């Protein structure tokens, strides 16, 4: 059965929550060329569309076999002057600006092909990447985004006052404070309240370096491609004129008065706090390596690539620990479907109507709720001294949520009935007792075809999975 363009509005209104937003990739490939900040090599980066659940990956086309490295916080092997992916003998440097642009645009899947060991530095910001993404356009994909939902405070501290905190929020936002022992640059703040503000407020903030850092970096073989077109240079500690002139010759810039402290750059600062905004940009790029878009607020004090990466790794550990997250349920919000609307779609009645409300649904996934009370009739005999909800009824309730999902894919859903053909891989992980609130998350494993649907369901109590199962169902038109 082909999926219709719209669902009957009489009894059913399609609602897509933040958790049910679709994955995205770029519509077509684009190319950026420029020199690498540290190597000085001319490098070409080709950004390609990628399939669902691909994530961000980088392919080194200049190496035999053209190996592909996943953009993963756990693979970051160096954070001295940028974020460096390391896998075996292969390194890819300075990826954070490109990652920030992809993340801010809502891109989930992209393959980047590089013919060198680092991303081109371009103008030292994320804006060139962001602009190219907007030029080629963004394509919505079928799979839902897999958000990391922050549900409790997480923090990590460094040895020199670095401090990153992650707090629950209904969207991604960042507050950043930087502090340096400098006459020119001391304390600055920057905020990003919505990712929609990224292009206007953050994307064009350029990277920066202190003059006192340049000689040691050059001695380490770094910043060979650095110049006043791709970085803000901060001169805040006076040098002897001869030494200052020698450094200017090394960088290929005119000699300047060594007694004049301040910012050295071809273009004026875009904002008084451009350096803090760039540090915020770096946070976004480094947290993009978590592998999931984040619903939460980041508060960062003295951020840098090292502490950012430690934070991203801590988030990944928490994701692994809570691999399956319970959907967000706010009982104060008006449900998409209450008990009466559900009765229009399902034939079940007391005592077998086991879904109380639907709080979110799209064409591939549904989130529904059942409040378990001590007055449930089955507790009379199961068991009088220790009331426990029968596992078969937990599965039945999950199946009813799946039935509502299937019916959301047909016209005139009240004229169809759902019959389950098969239930597999049922697991019960904890008891369900009076007072529990069951939250069902059921998703389609494959699109509805010829009236047959395959689904997978989870039942949560709090943050714990209480049960899970897979279903195959058939929808039949009522006579």
């Amino acid at each position: 059965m082909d999926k219709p363009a719209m669902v009957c509005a009489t009894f059913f209104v399609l609602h897509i929550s933040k958790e049910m937003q679709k994955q995205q990739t770029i519509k077509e490939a684009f190319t950026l060329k420029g020199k690498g900040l540290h190597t000085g090599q001319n490098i070409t980066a080709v950004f390609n569309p990628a399939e669902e659940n691909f994530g961000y990956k980088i392919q080194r086309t200049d190496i035999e076999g053209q190996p592909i490295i996943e953009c993963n916080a756990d693979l970051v092997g160096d954070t001295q002057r940028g974020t460096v992916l390391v896998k075996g003998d292969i390194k890819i440097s300075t990826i954070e600006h490109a990652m920030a642009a992809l993340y801010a645009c809502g891109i989930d899947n992209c393959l980047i092909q590089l013919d060198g060991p680092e991303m081109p530095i371009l103008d030292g910001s994320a804006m060139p990447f962001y602009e190219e993404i907007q030029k080629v356009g963004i394509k919505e994909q079928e799979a839902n985004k897999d958000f990391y939902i922050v549900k409790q405070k997480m923090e990590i501290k460094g040895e020199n006052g670095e401090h990153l905190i992650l707090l629950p929020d209904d969207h991604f936002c960042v507050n950043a404070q930087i502090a340096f022992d400098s006459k020119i640059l001391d304390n600055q703040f920057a905020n990003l309240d919505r990712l929609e503000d990224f292009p206007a407020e953050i994307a064009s903030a350029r990277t920066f370096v202190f003059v006192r850092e340049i000689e040691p970096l050059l001695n380490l073989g770094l910043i060979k491609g650095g110049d006043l077109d791709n970085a803000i240079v901060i001169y805040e500690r006076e040098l002897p004129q001869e030494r200052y002139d020698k450094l200017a010759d090394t960088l290929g810039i005119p000699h300047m008065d060594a007694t004049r402290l301040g910012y050295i750059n071809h273009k004026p600062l875009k904002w008084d706090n451009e350096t803090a905004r760039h540090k915020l940009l770096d946070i976004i790029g480094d947290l993009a390596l978590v592998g999931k878009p984040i619903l939460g607020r980041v508060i960062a004090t003295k951020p840098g690539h090292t502490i950012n990466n430690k934070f991203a790794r801590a988030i990944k550990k928490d994701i692994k620990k809570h691999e399956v997250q319970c959907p967000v349920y706010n009982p104060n919000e008006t449900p998409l479907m209450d008990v009466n609307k559900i009765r229009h779609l399902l034939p079940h009645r007391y005592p077998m109507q086991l879904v109380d409300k639907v709080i979110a649904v799209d064409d591939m996934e549904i989130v529904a709720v059942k409040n378990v009370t001590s007055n449930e009739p089955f507790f009379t005999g199961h068991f009088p001294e220790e009331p426990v909800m029968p596992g078969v009824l937990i599965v039945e309730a999950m199946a009813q949520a799946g039935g509502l999902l299937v019916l959301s894919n047909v016209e005139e859903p009240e004229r169809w009935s759902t019959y389950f053909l098969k239930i597999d891989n049922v697991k019960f992980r904890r008891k369900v007792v009076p007072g529990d609130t069951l939250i069902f998350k059921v998703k389609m494993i494959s699109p509805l075809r010829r009236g047959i649907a395959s689904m997978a369901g989870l039942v949560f109590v709090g943050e714990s999975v209480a049960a899970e199962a897979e279903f195959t169902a058939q929808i039949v038109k009522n006579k």
Side-chain angles (χ1 to χ4, degrees):
M1 177 179 295
D2 293 330
K3 185 173 67 178
M6 60 186 297
V7 174
C8 175
T10 305
F11 300 113
F12 196 86
V13 179
L14 190 67
H15 173 77
I16 300 176
S17 69
K18 278 187 172 65
E19 296 172 69
M20 292 186 179
Q21 292 177 14
K22 299 298 184 181
Q23 292 184 23
Q24 298 183 132
T25 188
I26 52 178
K27 284 186 176 178
E28 57 185 75
F30 66 85
T31 301
L32 285 167
K33 297 181 180 182
K35 60 183 176 181
L37 173 63
H38 296 303
T39 63
Q41 296 179 20
N42 290 318
I43 296 171
T44 300
V46 182
F47 290 69
N48 300 278
E51 62 191 11
E52 297 170 355
N53 302 311
F54 184 84
Y56 306 144
K57 296 179 183 178
I58 300 177
Q59 183 176 30
R60 284 286 302 273
T61 59
D62 60 318
I63 295 177
E64 185 178 355
Q66 300 190 1
I68 295 176
I69 299 179
E70 181 182 359
C71 298
N72 184 330
D74 292 332
L75 294 180
V76 173
D78 187 7
T79 53
Q80 186 173 12
R81 290 301 302 186
T83 299
V84 184
L85 295 174
V86 179
K87 189 174 182 180
D89 297 331
I90 303 167
K91 293 185 178 182
I92 303 172
S93 305
T94 329
I95 66 169
E96 58 272 13
H97 303 165
M99 294 296 105
L102 289 169
Y103 186 95
C105 289
I107 302 298
D108 302 280
N109 306 302
C110 184
L111 172 64
I112 306 168
Q113 295 173 306
L114 282 181
D115 64 356
E118 61 180 323
M119 197 72 66
I121 190 61
L122 304 173
D123 71 349
S125 79
M127 185 57 83
F129 302 100
Y130 182 90
E131 289 177 336
E132 289 301 317
I133 293 169
Q134 297 304 312
K135 283 180 185 177
V136 299
I138 297 171
K139 177 184 177 183
E140 186 175 274
Q141 299 176 291
E142 287 295 325
N144 288 334
K145 285 180 181 283
D146 185 13
F147 285 99
Y148 172 66
I149 304 167
V150 181
K151 296 188 177 180
Q152 59 186 7
K153 179 181 177 181
M154 179 186 299
E155 63 182 325
I156 190 167
K157 296 181 180 180
E159 297 178 356
N160 299 301
E162 309 96 320
H163 189 193
L164 269 66
I165 301 173
L166 187 57
L167 298 172
D169 210 311
D170 62 358
H171 64 290
F172 179 75
C173 44
V174 186
N175 309 108
Q177 176 188 2
I178 63 172
F180 291 93
D181 180 16
S182 167
K183 297 177 182 178
I184 306 301
L185 177 61
D186 48 13
N187 295 327
Q188 287 188 0
F189 298 86
N191 298 313
L192 180 67
D193 292 326
R194 305 179 311 154
L195 277 177
E196 292 83 353
D197 296 331
F198 179 81
E201 301 292 333
I202 302 297
S204 57
R206 295 162 291 176
T207 191
F208 62 94
V209 65
F210 292 96
V211 167
R212 57 182 159 84
E213 297 176 311
I214 291 177
E215 285 182 315
L217 290 171
L218 288 172
N219 291 336
L220 290 171
L222 300 174
I223 66 168
K224 295 177 181 178
D227 58 37
L228 298 186
D229 291 319
N230 57 37
I232 299 168
V233 178
I234 303 169
Y235 179 48
E236 44 39 293
R237 296 181 186 175
E238 188 174 335
L239 294 175
Q241 186 66 54
E242 182 180 353
R243 184 177 168 192
Y244 197 40
D245 290 343
K246 184 177 179 181
L247 188 59
D249 291 338
T250 302
L251 296 174
I253 60 177
H255 291 185
M256 292 170 283
D257 184 353
T259 65
R260 295 184 61 182
L261 305 181
Y263 291 95
I264 306 171
N265 40 277
H266 286 158
K267 298 177 182 179
L269 293 177
K270 294 180 172 64
W271 305 276
D272 290 340
N273 67 339
E274 184 171 354
T275 49
R277 294 182 192 229
H278 186 81
K279 283 291 188 179
L280 192 154
L281 186 159
D282 284 343
I283 292 170
I284 296 173
D286 289 337
L287 292 187
L289 304 188
V290 165
K292 294 186 178 186
I294 298 169
L295 292 182
R297 177 178 294 273
V298 179
I299 301 175
T301 302
K302 300 181 70 173
H305 293 299
T306 300
I307 192 73
N308 295 350
N309 179 249
K310 288 181 180 178
F311 201 43
R313 290 181 182 227
I315 294 172
K316 282 184 66 67
K317 285 183 180 178
D318 192 64
I319 291 173
K320 190 173 183 179
K321 182 179 178 182
H322 304 96
E323 192 167 352
V324 179
Q325 282 191 295
C326 179
V328 174
Y329 170 46
N330 182 355
N332 295 315
E333 291 184 354
T334 302
L336 168 63
M337 300 175 66
D338 61 14
V339 131
N340 293 317
K341 288 186 178 180
I342 290 170
R343 285 175 182 161
H344 284 294
L345 299 181
L346 296 181
H348 307 78
R349 296 296 181 266
Y350 176 85
M352 289 303 296
Q353 184 176 341
L354 298 175
V355 177
D356 292 336
K357 53 185 171 181
V358 173
I359 58 175
V361 67
D362 66 6
D363 56 351
M364 294 296 289
E365 190 170 291
I366 191 169
V367 179
V369 176
K370 162 68 177 173
N371 295 300
V372 181
T373 77
S374 60
N375 293 321
E376 306 287 351
F378 46 78
F379 285 139
T380 303
H382 199 277
F383 301 103
E385 302 302 323
E386 185 187 357
V388 177
M389 186 172 180
V392 67
L393 293 183
I394 297 173
V395 174
E396 169 63 24
M398 195 186 336
Q400 289 181 23
L404 291 168
L405 173 60
V406 172
L407 293 173
S408 74
N409 284 271
V410 299
E411 291 180 343
E412 300 181 301
E414 73 281 1
R415 297 182 60 188
W416 296 81
S417 292
T418 306
Y419 297 95
F420 283 84
L421 305 177
K422 185 171 64 170
I423 300 177
D424 293 319
N425 299 322
V426 179
K427 296 178 183 177
F428 300 104
R429 300 189 180 276
R430 56 156 290 172
K431 293 191 297 186
V432 173
V433 299
D436 285 342
T437 296
L438 303 183
I439 299 176
F440 308 101
K441 183 177 181 180
V442 181
K443 64 180 181 180
M444 303 281 276
I445 297 174
S446 59
L448 181 65
R449 291 191 179 94
R450 297 183 178 87
I452 303 295
S454 295
M455 292 170 281
L458 294 166
V459 184
F460 295 87
V461 174
E463 293 300 311
S464 301
V465 176
E468 61 184 278
E470 295 176 357
F471 307 92
T472 300
Q474 180 179 28
I475 59 169
V476 178
K477 202 162 191 178
N478 299 327
K479 295 182 180 179

